[in-house]
Short mmCIF file of all heavy atoms in Angstrom, two decimals:
data_model
loop_
_atom_site.label_atom_id
_atom_site.label_comp_id
_atom_site.label_asym_id
_atom_site.label_seq_id
_atom_site.Cartn_x
_atom_site.Cartn_y
_atom_site.Cartn_z
N GLU A 208 23.27 26.69 9.22
CA GLU A 208 22.48 26.63 8.00
C GLU A 208 22.14 28.04 7.52
O GLU A 208 22.28 28.35 6.34
CB GLU A 208 21.20 25.85 8.30
CG GLU A 208 20.43 25.43 7.08
CD GLU A 208 19.50 24.26 7.41
OE1 GLU A 208 18.42 24.48 7.98
OE2 GLU A 208 19.88 23.12 7.10
N ALA A 209 21.71 28.88 8.46
CA ALA A 209 21.31 30.24 8.10
C ALA A 209 22.50 31.03 7.54
O ALA A 209 22.39 31.68 6.50
CB ALA A 209 20.72 30.94 9.31
N VAL A 210 23.63 30.96 8.22
CA VAL A 210 24.79 31.76 7.79
C VAL A 210 25.36 31.23 6.48
O VAL A 210 25.89 31.98 5.67
CB VAL A 210 25.88 31.80 8.88
CG1 VAL A 210 26.99 32.77 8.50
CG2 VAL A 210 25.27 32.24 10.21
N GLN A 211 25.23 29.93 6.27
CA GLN A 211 25.77 29.37 5.02
C GLN A 211 24.93 29.74 3.80
O GLN A 211 25.44 29.83 2.70
CB GLN A 211 25.86 27.83 5.12
CG GLN A 211 27.04 27.36 5.96
CD GLN A 211 26.90 25.90 6.34
OE1 GLN A 211 26.21 25.14 5.68
NE2 GLN A 211 27.56 25.52 7.42
N MET A 212 23.63 29.94 4.00
CA MET A 212 22.77 30.05 2.84
C MET A 212 22.21 31.45 2.59
O MET A 212 22.08 31.87 1.44
CB MET A 212 21.60 29.07 2.98
CG MET A 212 22.08 27.64 3.08
SD MET A 212 20.75 26.50 3.38
CE MET A 212 20.05 26.43 1.77
N ALA A 213 21.86 32.18 3.65
CA ALA A 213 20.98 33.33 3.46
C ALA A 213 21.70 34.59 3.01
O ALA A 213 22.90 34.77 3.25
CB ALA A 213 20.25 33.61 4.76
N ASP A 214 20.95 35.48 2.35
CA ASP A 214 21.40 36.85 2.13
C ASP A 214 21.23 37.65 3.41
O ASP A 214 22.04 38.48 3.76
CB ASP A 214 20.57 37.52 1.02
CG ASP A 214 20.81 36.88 -0.33
OD1 ASP A 214 21.94 36.45 -0.58
OD2 ASP A 214 19.85 36.80 -1.12
N ARG A 215 20.09 37.37 4.07
CA ARG A 215 19.83 38.04 5.35
C ARG A 215 19.24 37.03 6.31
O ARG A 215 18.53 36.11 5.90
CB ARG A 215 18.83 39.19 5.17
CG ARG A 215 19.46 40.42 4.50
CD ARG A 215 18.49 41.57 4.53
NE ARG A 215 17.27 41.28 3.80
CZ ARG A 215 16.09 41.77 4.15
NH1 ARG A 215 15.96 42.56 5.19
NH2 ARG A 215 15.03 41.48 3.41
N VAL A 216 19.54 37.19 7.58
CA VAL A 216 19.00 36.29 8.59
C VAL A 216 18.14 37.10 9.56
O VAL A 216 18.60 38.08 10.14
CB VAL A 216 20.12 35.58 9.38
CG1 VAL A 216 19.53 34.68 10.45
CG2 VAL A 216 21.01 34.79 8.43
N VAL A 217 16.89 36.72 9.68
CA VAL A 217 15.98 37.38 10.61
C VAL A 217 16.02 36.61 11.93
O VAL A 217 15.79 35.40 11.95
CB VAL A 217 14.55 37.37 10.06
CG1 VAL A 217 13.58 38.00 11.05
CG2 VAL A 217 14.50 38.08 8.70
N VAL A 218 16.37 37.31 13.01
CA VAL A 218 16.45 36.64 14.30
C VAL A 218 15.18 36.95 15.09
O VAL A 218 14.85 38.11 15.31
CB VAL A 218 17.69 37.12 15.10
CG1 VAL A 218 17.80 36.35 16.40
CG2 VAL A 218 18.94 36.97 14.26
N LEU A 219 14.50 35.91 15.51
CA LEU A 219 13.29 36.10 16.31
C LEU A 219 13.60 35.86 17.78
O LEU A 219 14.45 35.05 18.12
CB LEU A 219 12.19 35.13 15.86
CG LEU A 219 11.64 35.28 14.44
CD1 LEU A 219 10.52 34.28 14.21
CD2 LEU A 219 11.14 36.70 14.18
N SER A 220 12.87 36.56 18.63
CA SER A 220 13.00 36.34 20.07
C SER A 220 12.11 35.17 20.46
O SER A 220 11.31 34.70 19.66
CB SER A 220 12.57 37.60 20.81
OG SER A 220 11.18 37.79 20.60
N SER A 221 12.25 34.71 21.69
CA SER A 221 11.35 33.64 22.13
C SER A 221 9.95 34.20 22.33
O SER A 221 9.74 35.41 22.34
CB SER A 221 11.88 33.00 23.41
OG SER A 221 12.06 33.98 24.39
#
Side-chain angles (χ1 to χ4, degrees):
Chain A
E208 193 159 80
V210 187
Q211 284 166 23
M212 300 175 76
D214 293 326
R215 285 188 299 147
V216 179
V217 178
V218 184
L219 296 183
S220 66
S221 55

